[in-house]
Amino acid sequence: MTNELNQIPGCLVRIENIYSSLRDSEKKVSDYIKGNYQDIIHLTITELAEKSETSESTIVRLCKSLGYRGFQELKINLAREIIQPSHQIHEALEKSDDVLTIKQKVFNADAQAIHDTLKVLDDNEFKKAVELISQANHVEMYGVGGSSAVVLDAQHKFLKVGLKCSVYTDTNLQAMSASLLGKGDVVIGISHSGGSKDIIEILEIAKEAGAATISITNYSKSPILKVSDVVLFTASKETAFKSDALASRIAELAIIDALFVAVSFTGYEKSFKSIQKTRDATASRKY
C-alpha cells in the first residue's frame, strides 16, 4: 500500500472513519478540528495543542493515523476542503420519519457516500489496482455477507470484457482456492469494516502463495491493511443500521464500476470484441 496518503483530500471524512479507534487524547484533537476546522489552517501545532488541551505529540500521532506525514500536510488538505467545500447532505434517520422522508434520506446518504469516496480514493492506489488487474493471469474476488453481492457484480462485469475471474463466497472454498494461487494472480477482498477475520485470513493465504492483494474497505486504520498490497478506501456515514453498511455498498459498487471501465480501456480493442461476443452469446435468451 502506498504511503502517499497525504495526496488525498477529505481530512474531515478520514477523521470520521477512524474516530472510534482513536485514543481519548486524539479524540479531543479531532473534536476540536471538527468544531473549528476553518481556524485550524491558521494555527501552529503548539497553538492547537493548547486549544485542544492535548500535546504536540498527540497531534502528530493523529496526523499519521490519518495518513499525513505531519500537521502541515493535514492543514494543506484541510484548506482544500475549506476552499472547495462539499455539500454535506447526510442526515440521520429518525424513528418518526415517514416513508417518503426515509426514501429521501437514504438516497441522500448513498449520493454522499459516492461523493466522499471519490475524495478519499487515492489516485496512485487506483492506478496500481488497474495495472495489477489488467496484467493478471487470474483474478479472484472474495466477499462474505453483504459484500458477496458486490463481488458477484464485479465478476459479471469483468467477464463481459474477457477477464477470467472467479468469485467465492464460501470461506472454505476461498481458503482452498487462495492457497493454489501464485505470482501473477490477483485477489480482491471486500470488507467494509476492514476487520473481517475471514477475509483477512484469506488475503493472507493468497499473499503467502505469491498473489497480489487488493482490498476495498472503509476504514484507514484496520487490520486488513496489513495483508493488502493495494487499498481502495470508501467513505460513508451510515444513515441507520450501521452494521449493515448500507451506503458503503453503493460506494464499493462505484469503485468496482470505475475499475471495470479503467481496465476495459487499458485493453480497449480486446474488451470491445469480448463485449460483442458475450452480447451475442446471450442474445438468444432475450425476447
Side-chain angles (χ1 to χ4, degrees):
M1 185 185 70
T2 183
N3 288 322
E4 298 180 17
L5 291 177
N6 57 295
Q7 301 290 328
I8 306 173
C11 176
L12 297 178
V13 174
R14 287 192 163 275
I15 288 174
E16 290 293 333
N17 285 348
I18 69 170
Y19 187 82
S20 62
S21 64
L22 297 175
R23 301 178 183 180
D24 289 341
S25 58
E26 294 168 339
K27 287 181 178 179
K28 288 183 68 175
V29 180
S30 299
D31 290 339
Y32 189 86
I33 291 174
K34 289 188 293 181
N36 305 274
Y37 61 88
Q38 291 185 325
D39 300 326
I40 297 300
I41 59 175
H42 304 297
L43 299 179
T44 65
I45 189 171
T46 302
E47 290 171 332
L48 177 57
E50 291 175 353
K51 289 180 178 295
S52 61
E53 299 180 344
T54 58
S55 65
E56 293 182 19
S57 60
T58 296
I59 295 171
V60 171
R61 190 166 59 243
L62 173 64
C63 291
K64 291 183 178 180
S65 295
L66 293 170
Y68 307 121
R69 286 179 292 185
F71 181 55
Q72 188 63 27
E73 288 185 351
L74 181 146
K75 291 204 296 182
I76 291 172
N77 281 270
L78 192 56
R80 291 175 185 168
E81 292 189 79
I82 295 171
I83 294 170
Q84 297 179 322
S86 63
H87 177 50
Q88 297 297 321
I89 58 178
H90 169 78
E91 299 173 86
L93 281 171
E94 303 292 341
K95 189 176 180 181
S96 59
D97 287 342
D98 58 41
V99 293
L100 296 183
T101 300
I102 290 171
K103 179 195 72 172
Q104 185 68 42
K105 288 185 176 181
V106 169
F107 270 70
N108 285 349
D110 287 348
Q112 187 70 50
I114 292 176
H115 182 275
D116 288 345
T117 295
L118 182 60
K119 291 173 65 179
V120 303
L121 186 59
D122 181 77
D123 290 343
N124 291 326
E125 294 290 276
F126 184 78
K127 288 178 181 178
K128 287 180 183 179
V130 171
E131 183 178 357
L132 285 172
I133 295 170
S134 300
Q135 299 177 0
N137 297 327
H138 186 73
V139 177
E140 291 200 351
M141 290 172 272
Y142 305 140
V144 295
S147 298
S148 301
V150 180
V151 292
L152 287 169
D153 177 77
Q155 181 188 37
H156 179 257
K157 287 185 170 69
F158 283 125
L159 189 58
K160 285 183 177 180
V161 294
L163 182 69
K164 299 296 182 182
C165 56
S166 303
V167 166
Y168 297 100
T169 57
D170 177 88
T171 54
N172 287 333
L173 290 176
Q174 288 172 350
M176 291 165 60
S177 185
S179 69
L180 298 175
L181 297 176
K183 188 174 182 179
D185 295 325
V186 174
V187 164
I188 301 174
I190 300 179
S191 171
H192 168 70
S193 67
S196 170
K197 185 176 180 181
D198 290 327
I199 296 301
I200 292 170
E201 289 182 350
I202 299 307
L203 289 183
E204 187 173 15
I205 292 172
K207 193 174 179 66
E208 289 177 352
T213 55
I214 300 171
S215 64
I216 300 177
T217 186
N218 196 73
Y219 297 100
S220 59
K221 195 174 181 181
S222 59
I224 200 170
L225 273 64
K226 296 179 181 179
V227 293
S228 304
D229 297 310
V230 176
V231 181
L232 304 176
F233 288 110
T234 60
S236 66
K237 299 175 183 177
E238 299 304 331
T239 306
F241 308 114
K242 291 186 177 181
S243 62
D244 288 335
L246 302 180
S248 65
R249 181 168 46 84
I250 302 299
E252 291 165 359
L253 288 169
I255 290 178
I256 292 297
D257 285 351
L259 288 173
F260 163 68
V261 175
V263 169
S264 298
F265 272 62
T266 299
Y268 186 87
E269 295 299 328
K270 178 178 177 295
S271 298
F272 183 77
K273 290 179 181 179
S274 296
I275 288 176
Q276 291 297 112
K277 287 181 180 179
T278 54
R279 186 175 294 165
D280 292 341
T282 58
S284 61
R285 300 178 181 275
K286 300 176 182 178
Y287 286 106

